[in-house]
Amino acid sequence: MITDPPAPKPFVKGETPPISATDALGTPPTEWVFNEDYERLVVAWQTVMPQLETLRTALDKADSLARSPQTWDAAVGERYVKDLREWRTRLGVYRHSVLTAISDEAADTPRWVKTTAGVPHAF
Protein backbone atom coordinates (compact mmCIF):
# COMPACT_ATOMS: atom_id res chain seq x y z
CA MET A 1 0.00 0.00 0.00
CA ILE A 2 1.35 3.37 -1.02
CA THR A 3 0.90 6.16 1.49
CA ASP A 4 0.30 9.74 0.48
CA PRO A 5 3.13 12.26 0.91
CA PRO A 6 2.62 15.09 3.39
CA ALA A 7 0.14 17.73 2.29
CA PRO A 8 1.08 21.42 2.20
CA LYS A 9 -0.15 23.14 5.36
CA PRO A 10 -2.81 25.79 4.70
CA PHE A 11 -2.69 29.18 6.36
CA VAL A 12 -4.34 29.10 9.77
CA LYS A 13 -6.01 32.24 11.07
CA GLY A 14 -3.83 33.70 13.76
CA GLU A 15 -0.67 32.09 12.42
CA THR A 16 2.31 34.39 12.74
CA PRO A 17 5.19 34.82 10.30
CA PRO A 18 8.82 34.43 11.26
CA ILE A 19 10.03 37.01 13.76
CA SER A 20 11.37 40.20 12.21
CA ALA A 21 14.34 41.86 13.81
CA THR A 22 17.10 44.12 12.70
CA ASP A 23 20.06 42.28 11.30
CA ALA A 24 23.73 42.83 12.19
CA LEU A 25 23.91 45.79 9.78
CA GLY A 26 20.96 47.51 11.39
CA THR A 27 18.56 46.92 8.49
CA PRO A 28 15.02 47.70 9.65
CA PRO A 29 12.52 44.90 10.22
CA THR A 30 10.71 43.57 7.21
CA GLU A 31 7.08 42.69 6.71
CA TRP A 32 6.17 39.10 6.00
CA VAL A 33 3.22 37.83 3.92
CA PHE A 34 1.96 34.32 3.30
CA ASN A 35 3.48 33.15 0.03
CA GLU A 36 0.94 33.14 -2.83
CA ASP A 37 2.82 30.35 -4.61
CA TYR A 38 2.58 28.16 -1.52
CA GLU A 39 -1.13 28.96 -1.25
CA ARG A 40 -1.60 27.80 -4.86
CA LEU A 41 -0.04 24.46 -3.92
CA VAL A 42 -2.43 24.13 -0.98
CA VAL A 43 -5.37 24.84 -3.31
CA ALA A 44 -4.03 22.37 -5.89
CA TRP A 45 -3.83 19.64 -3.24
CA GLN A 46 -7.32 20.40 -1.94
CA THR A 47 -8.68 20.34 -5.50
CA VAL A 48 -7.00 17.12 -6.58
CA MET A 49 -7.72 14.99 -3.49
CA PRO A 50 -11.53 14.80 -3.83
CA GLN A 51 -11.21 13.99 -7.54
CA LEU A 52 -8.73 11.19 -6.86
CA GLU A 53 -10.97 9.83 -4.11
CA THR A 54 -13.96 9.87 -6.48
CA LEU A 55 -11.99 7.88 -9.05
CA ARG A 56 -10.76 5.41 -6.42
CA THR A 57 -14.27 4.92 -5.04
CA ALA A 58 -15.69 4.34 -8.52
CA LEU A 59 -13.03 1.75 -9.36
CA ASP A 60 -13.44 0.03 -5.99
CA LYS A 61 -17.20 -0.22 -6.51
CA ALA A 62 -16.80 -1.58 -10.05
CA ASP A 63 -14.20 -4.07 -8.81
CA SER A 64 -16.41 -5.35 -6.02
CA LEU A 65 -19.35 -5.72 -8.41
CA ALA A 66 -17.18 -7.49 -10.97
CA ARG A 67 -15.98 -10.02 -8.38
CA SER A 68 -19.53 -10.93 -7.45
CA PRO A 69 -20.61 -14.31 -8.85
CA GLN A 70 -24.01 -12.79 -9.57
CA THR A 71 -22.43 -10.39 -12.07
CA TRP A 72 -20.33 -12.75 -14.16
CA ASP A 73 -20.78 -16.38 -15.07
CA ALA A 74 -18.18 -16.62 -17.80
CA ALA A 75 -14.45 -16.42 -18.42
CA VAL A 76 -14.83 -12.83 -19.57
CA GLY A 77 -15.48 -11.89 -15.94
CA GLU A 78 -11.92 -12.78 -14.92
CA ARG A 79 -10.51 -10.68 -17.73
CA TYR A 80 -12.67 -7.76 -16.65
CA VAL A 81 -11.56 -8.11 -13.02
CA LYS A 82 -7.93 -8.28 -14.19
CA ASP A 83 -8.42 -5.06 -16.21
CA LEU A 84 -9.96 -3.33 -13.20
CA ARG A 85 -7.02 -4.35 -11.03
CA GLU A 86 -4.68 -2.88 -13.65
CA TRP A 87 -6.64 0.40 -13.65
CA ARG A 88 -6.59 0.52 -9.85
CA THR A 89 -2.81 0.04 -9.90
CA ARG A 90 -2.42 2.77 -12.52
CA LEU A 91 -4.60 5.13 -10.51
CA GLY A 92 -2.50 4.44 -7.41
CA VAL A 93 0.71 5.25 -9.28
CA TYR A 94 -0.86 8.36 -10.82
CA ARG A 95 -2.17 9.52 -7.44
CA HIS A 96 1.24 9.04 -5.85
CA SER A 97 3.05 10.90 -8.61
CA VAL A 98 0.66 13.88 -8.60
CA LEU A 99 0.62 14.23 -4.81
CA THR A 100 4.38 13.76 -4.59
CA ALA A 101 4.92 16.50 -7.17
CA ILE A 102 2.74 18.92 -5.18
CA SER A 103 4.31 17.90 -1.87
CA ASP A 104 7.88 18.20 -3.17
CA GLU A 105 7.17 21.63 -4.64
CA ALA A 106 5.61 22.73 -1.33
CA ALA A 107 8.69 21.51 0.55
CA ASP A 108 10.86 23.70 -1.68
CA THR A 109 8.57 26.76 -1.47
CA PRO A 110 8.76 29.04 1.59
CA ARG A 111 5.46 29.57 3.42
CA TRP A 112 6.28 33.19 4.22
CA VAL A 113 8.06 35.75 2.05
CA LYS A 114 9.40 39.19 2.86
CA THR A 115 7.68 42.19 1.41
CA THR A 116 8.63 45.84 1.32
CA ALA A 117 5.03 47.04 1.52
CA GLY A 118 4.39 48.99 4.69
CA VAL A 119 8.03 49.06 5.72
CA PRO A 120 9.35 52.54 6.56
CA HIS A 121 11.90 53.87 4.10
CA ALA A 122 14.60 56.50 4.58
CA PHE A 123 13.46 58.43 1.48
Side-chain angles (χ1 to χ4, degrees), residues 37-116:
D37 293 334
Y38 191 88
E39 183 65 28
R40 285 187 198 106
L41 293 169
V42 171
V43 169
W45 183 283
Q46 292 171 346
T47 302
V48 165
M49 280 302 288
Q51 295 171 354
L52 290 172
E53 285 300 315
T54 300
L55 289 171
R56 185 188 59 79
T57 303
L59 281 176
D60 287 349
K61 183 177 178 182
D63 185 52
S64 67
L65 288 173
R67 290 174 190 253
S68 171
Q70 298 160 342
T71 304
W72 299 105
D73 193 20
V76 71
E78 275 303 313
R79 289 192 307 255
Y80 187 69
V81 169
K82 184 179 174 185
D83 288 346
L84 281 173
R85 285 185 197 143
E86 175 70 25
W87 280 106
R88 288 175 69 193
T89 301
R90 289 181 185 183
L91 179 61
V93 170
Y94 176 74
R95 174 188 177 118
H96 186 71
S97 65
V98 167
L99 294 180
T100 299
I102 295 171
S103 181
D104 288 351
E105 187 68 25
D108 294 338
T109 305
R111 288 175 48 85
W112 295 90
V113 292
K114 294 178 183 180
T115 182
T116 57

Side-chain angles (χ1 to χ4, degrees), residues 24-36:
L25 300 175
T27 307
T30 56
E31 294 283 326
W32 293 84
V33 294
F34 197 74
N35 191 347
E36 292 178 13

